Amino acid sequence: THCISSAASDVYKRQPLASIHQQFFQASTHTSTCGWKGLANYYTINVDGKENENAAWVYKTPKQAASEIEGYVAFWQGVKVTE
C-alpha cells in the first residue's frame, strides 16, 4: 500500500498527469484506498513491449488532507522518471 503519513514524505517520484506520455499508460482496474489520501487509480506502463503492471497511480480526487497530490502520477516497481 502507498498510504504514507505525509504527502511530503512520499518516497516515490510524482509527476503532473498532464506531463506523462499517455501512449505508454493503460488504465488498470486495480485500485487501493488510503485512509487519509483516498482512492488511488492505477496504470500499467508499456514501453518497447515491456509491461510493468500497476506501476503508476494517481489520486484523481484525494481527500482534503492530501489535496497537494491531486492530479500527480506516482511511480514505483523500478520505474525511472526522466525528462
Side-chain angles (χ1 to χ4, degrees), residues 2-18:
H2 310 292
C3 195
I4 299 172
S5 64
S6 166
S9 69
D10 287 347
V11 294
Y12 46 82
K13 178 81 172 177
R14 290 183 280 153
Q15 294 292 312
L17 185 58

Side-chain angles (χ1 to χ4, degrees), residues 3-83:
C3 195
I4 299 172
S5 64
S6 166
S9 69
D10 287 347
V11 294
Y12 46 82
K13 178 81 172 177
R14 290 183 280 153
Q15 294 292 312
L17 185 58
S19 74
I20 65 171
H21 295 280
Q22 296 283 335
Q23 70 269 26
F24 300 117
F25 292 78
Q26 178 181 353
S28 171
T29 58
H30 182 71
T31 61
S32 65
T33 303
C34 173
W36 74 274
K37 290 180 187 175
L39 180 70
N41 297 96
Y42 287 75
Y43 294 90
T44 294
I45 303 170
N46 191 322
V47 178
D48 295 330
K50 296 178 184 175
E51 189 172 276
N52 196 340
E53 188 175 12
N54 300 323
W57 70 96
V58 64
Y59 290 91
K60 295 178 181 177
T61 54
K63 294 184 176 185
Q64 185 175 354
S67 61
E68 68 270 20
I69 64 171
E70 182 175 352
Y72 281 83
V73 180
F75 304 90
W76 70 329
Q77 298 184 167
V79 174
K80 293 184 184 190
V81 178
T82 60
E83 293 184 28

